[in-house]
Amino acid sequence: MAKSKVLVLGGTRYIGKRIVKASLAQGHITYVLQRREMGLDIDKIQMLLSFKKQGAKLIQGSFSDHQSLVDAMKQVDVVICTMSSVHFRSHNILLQLKLVDAIKEAGNIKTGLCRVQDKTTVYNFLETDEK
């Protein structure tokens, strides 16, 4: 069975770190988006370095840099977004819309998962509007 190339966004958060570990354990080529905005959060940097030691690949990207998101999407088959929306729900919804735009522009992602307000949404990005 072919292994997927999986990109996890929110990989240093509660759910995201578990998904990264599970993806690695299943043998998938696992990427974690390392956002420039993260700054010098030592705990997150240590977690990312730990993932890298376990075989994950880190991809630099930013929601404020559309092309960096598109470039990240072009490297993978599956996108899992686990960003929390607890504190800034409307802001995170806007970020996820940016993510969906990047996925559509990349054109190679068939399915993606996004989690907003304790609801997981599955997107089919290869659907057409033609009837």
Side-chain angles (χ1 to χ4, degrees):
M1 183 169 143
K3 297 296 181 179
S4 297
K5 292 184 271 180
V6 177
L7 172 61
V8 180
L9 291 89
T12 59
R13 303 297 302 237
Y14 182 78
I15 294 172
K17 65 185 174 187
R18 288 162 173 76
I19 289 177
V20 170
K21 290 176 184 177
S23 179
L24 288 167
Q26 292 291 314
H28 296 292
I29 302 166
T30 305
Y31 296 80
V32 181
L33 188 75
Q34 181 177 0
R35 295 184 308 121
R36 295 180 200 119
E37 299 87 357
M38 183 178 71
L40 296 174
D41 184 323
I42 299 301
D43 292 333
K44 288 184 180 185
I45 290 171
Q46 287 178 333
M47 188 178 306
L48 289 171
L49 292 174
S50 170
F51 290 153
K52 191 173 178 179
K53 274 181 146 176
Q54 296 172 52
K57 301 174 188 298
L58 305 181
I59 296 180
Q60 293 284 330
S62 171
F63 283 92
S64 62
D65 179 359
H66 176 74
Q67 191 58 49
S68 72
L69 290 178
V70 173
D71 293 344
M73 299 308 129
K74 288 181 177 181
Q75 296 182 54
V76 299
D77 306 314
V78 176
V79 176
I80 301 174
C81 179
T82 64
M83 296 182 337
S84 170
S85 60
V86 173
H87 301 294
F88 305 104
R89 182 173 184 250
S90 61
H91 176 69
N92 280 351
I93 290 172
L94 292 175
L95 293 180
Q96 291 195 6
L97 290 174
K98 288 182 178 188
L99 175 62
V100 169
D101 287 343
I103 289 170
K104 286 181 176 181
E105 185 175 326
N108 60 307
I109 305 295
K110 186 186 300 185
T111 304
L113 296 174
C114 288
R115 183 174 171 79
V116 179
Q117 280 303 98
D118 297 327
K119 294 179 183 174
T120 300
T121 304
V122 178
Y123 294 95
N124 181 349
F125 294 108
L126 297 183
E127 286 183 346
T128 63
D129 294 329
E130 299 174 14
K131 299 207 178 207

